[in-house]
């Protein structure tokens, strides 16, 4: 940990992540004011100052926060000029920060459509407002700048309501997400009872029950919150450190990251949304995939490959 903390000395420019509602999946530029030592004289927290976020409505003072080291990273390397490909993971500069997304369409005049998983929005950006998405893993950028390769493993598709709706039919087993507080980042199994409108369905959950506990809960859900149930091919023999997974917890699948590999086929998983670390057995985990434009997409596939290379060095 000490070696990694060398990147966060007084005055160092950093990028800062947040677990606050509405800011997940974003990185903001800031400066380290000073490291903070614990009673054991170990540095685990830092006082930082944001460059674009303000502490008050008057706009006179920049926001300062005390944050854990896991919420900090050095600024990623930038390419001078780059063309992006369909399905590439990118960071888009939006609302004073960098937000993680996926290229869903290459447009004319050096513009791109970017899909954001957290909000299910699709927005357009100029190439100068984008950068290749990289992860900070054990003091190294993944993928590294000098070994950058194009990623084009998915056939080009366009997101449209009609395409999404065509994937669903009566009686189909699906997974349903929710924007309600306390349920973001979770997927619950259900069955489509009927299609109510062009983009709305009545679904019945497999594990959630109504308030009287007399029957399984039924809800009207739009197609942006429904996806097919993941195929059995998502099963793997083991998971790696820093791998993104879905964990079965409280009757749903919650997106998390492997933060420690234990003995006996058990893992500790970190959940960004709640800043919690929980322990799971292997059978309660599955590889994380996103359902984008009618296809299952493993957005972190290249990052996992590069991370294995670093482990061998």
């Amino acid at each position: 940990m000490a070696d990694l903390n060398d990147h966060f000395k007084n005055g160092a420019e950093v990028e800062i992540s947040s677990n606050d509602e509405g800011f997940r999946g974003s990185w903001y530029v800031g400066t380290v004011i000073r490291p903070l030592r614990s009673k054991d004289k170990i540095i685990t927290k830092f006082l930082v100052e944001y460059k674009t976020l303000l502490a008050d409505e008057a706009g006179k003072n920049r926001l300062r926060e005390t944050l854990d080291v896991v919420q900090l990273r050095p600024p990623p390397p930038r390419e001078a000029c780059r063309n992006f490909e369909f399905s590439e993971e990118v960071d888009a500069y939006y609302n004073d920060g960098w937000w993680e997304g996926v290229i869903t369409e290459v447009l004319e005049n050096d513009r791109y459509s970017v899909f954001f998983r957290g909000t299910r929005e699709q927005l357009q950006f100029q190439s100068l407002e984008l950068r290749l998405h990289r992860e900070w893993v054990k003091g190294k950028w993944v993928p590294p700048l000098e070994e950058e390769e194009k990623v084009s493993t998915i056939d080009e598709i366009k997101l449209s309501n009609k395409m999404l709706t065509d994937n669903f039919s009566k009686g189909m087993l699906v997974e349903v997400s929710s924007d309600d507080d306390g349920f973001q980042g979770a997927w619950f199994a259900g069955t489509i009872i009927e299609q109510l409108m062009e983009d709305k369905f009545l679904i019945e959950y497999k594990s959630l029950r109504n308030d009287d506990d007399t029957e399984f809960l039924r809800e009207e859900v739009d197609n942006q919150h429904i996806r097919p149930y993941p195929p059995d091919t998502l099963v793997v023999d083991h998971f790696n450190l820093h791998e993104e997974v879905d964990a079965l917890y409280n009757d749903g699948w919650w997106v998390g990251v492997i933060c420690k590999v234990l003995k006996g086929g058990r893992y500790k998983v970190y959940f960004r949304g709640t800043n919690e670390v929980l322990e799971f057995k292997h059978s309660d985990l599955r590889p994380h995939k996103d359902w984008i434009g009618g296809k299952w997409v493993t957005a972190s596939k290249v990052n996992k490959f590069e991370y294995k290379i670093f482990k061998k060095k």
Side-chain angles (χ1 to χ4, degrees):
M1 183 65 71
D3 291 338
L4 294 181
N5 286 348
D6 288 341
H7 294 280
F8 311 127
K9 295 180 179 179
N10 291 16
E13 186 169 306
V14 293
E15 286 196 349
I16 306 161
S17 67
S18 174
N19 294 319
D20 293 341
E21 187 67 31
F23 291 89
R24 296 163 192 161
S26 65
W27 290 88
Y28 287 82
V29 178
T31 303
V32 173
I33 302 303
R34 62 176 178 273
L36 304 176
R37 297 183 181 274
S38 65
K39 294 181 180 179
D40 299 326
K41 296 184 177 181
I42 299 175
I43 299 174
T44 59
K45 294 183 179 295
F46 297 80
L47 177 64
V48 300
E49 180 179 273
Y50 292 86
K51 288 193 173 183
T52 57
L53 300 185
L54 302 176
D56 50 54
E57 294 182 358
K60 295 183 179 180
N61 300 308
R62 292 175 176 174
L63 177 63
R64 289 191 175 190
E65 283 188 324
T66 298
L67 300 174
D68 193 275
V69 66
V70 298
Q71 293 178 261
L72 303 180
R73 68 182 188 184
R78 291 292 307 275
E79 303 86 353
C81 181
R82 191 180 196 282
N83 293 322
F84 297 93
E85 304 285 345
F86 173 78
S87 83
E88 276 192 300
E89 272 195 300
V90 295
D91 296 336
Y93 194 77
Y94 181 64
N95 281 351
D96 299 321
W98 291 96
W99 296 75
E100 300 175 14
V102 179
I103 298 290
T104 53
E105 190 173 3
V106 180
L107 306 171
E108 297 180 350
N109 300 321
D110 207 27
R111 295 185 65 83
Y112 302 83
S113 287
V114 178
F115 177 77
F116 300 94
R117 303 182 192 92
T119 60
R120 297 180 185 83
E121 291 179 291
Q122 183 167 260
L123 303 174
Q124 292 185 12
F125 294 88
Q126 292 283 352
S127 60
L128 293 177
E129 300 172 304
L130 301 175
R131 68 187 186 191
L132 183 68
H133 177 69
R134 288 181 167 90
E135 298 287 346
W136 179 247
V137 181
K138 290 191 173 182
K140 293 182 181 290
W141 286 108
V142 181
L145 185 64
E146 62 273 15
E147 298 179 12
E148 187 178 310
E149 293 182 357
K150 292 183 178 180
V151 182
S152 183
T153 59
I154 308 297
D155 294 333
E156 185 170 0
I157 52 177
K158 294 182 179 180
L159 289 177
S160 68
N161 286 338
K162 183 178 185 304
M163 179 181 290
L164 293 173
T165 303
D166 287 346
N167 285 289
F168 306 123
S169 58
K170 182 177 179 179
M172 182 178 178
L173 180 63
V174 295
E175 286 192 334
V176 184
S177 66
S178 173
D179 292 330
D180 293 342
D181 289 341
F183 290 91
Q184 291 101 341
W187 290 89
F188 296 89
T191 303
I192 293 178
I193 303 302
E194 62 177 313
Q195 184 171 349
L196 302 175
M197 300 172 59
E198 183 179 357
D199 61 348
K200 285 189 178 294
F201 298 84
L202 177 65
I203 63 97
E204 182 178 276
Y205 290 95
K206 290 287 188 181
S207 56
L208 302 182
R209 302 184 69 84
N210 60 13
D211 294 336
D212 299 330
D213 197 25
T214 56
E215 58 185 13
F216 288 108
L217 178 65
R218 289 191 174 191
E219 260 188 342
E220 294 183 12
V221 183
D222 64 62
N223 59 4
Q224 297 294 325
H225 291 80
I226 303 176
R227 68 183 187 185
Y229 198 84
D232 293 337
T233 53
L234 296 185
V235 177
V236 297
D237 294 332
H238 67 279
F239 297 98
N240 297 316
L241 189 65
H242 299 297
E243 185 170 358
E244 200 170 22
V245 295
D246 295 337
L248 185 59
Y249 180 67
N250 281 350
D251 300 318
W253 291 95
W254 300 74
V255 182
V257 178
I258 300 291
C259 62
K260 190 171 185 179
V261 179
L262 306 173
K263 295 181 180 180
R266 300 188 71 85
Y267 305 84
K268 286 192 175 181
V269 179
Y270 170 70
F271 298 94
R272 300 185 185 95
T274 60
N275 202 29
E276 289 182 295
V277 175
L278 301 176
E279 186 175 323
F280 293 89
K281 57 185 178 181
H282 183 275
S283 59
D284 288 334
L285 300 177
R286 69 186 186 191
H288 176 69
K289 286 194 175 186
D290 288 299
W291 178 252
I292 300 177
K295 298 285 185 179
W296 285 107
V297 177
T298 306
S300 56
K301 183 177 181 180
V302 174
N303 290 349
K304 293 175 187 175
F305 172 75
E306 294 288 354
Y307 178 65
K308 290 178 182 177
I309 292 177
F310 284 127
K311 286 183 69 177
K312 294 178 181 178
K313 291 184 179 180

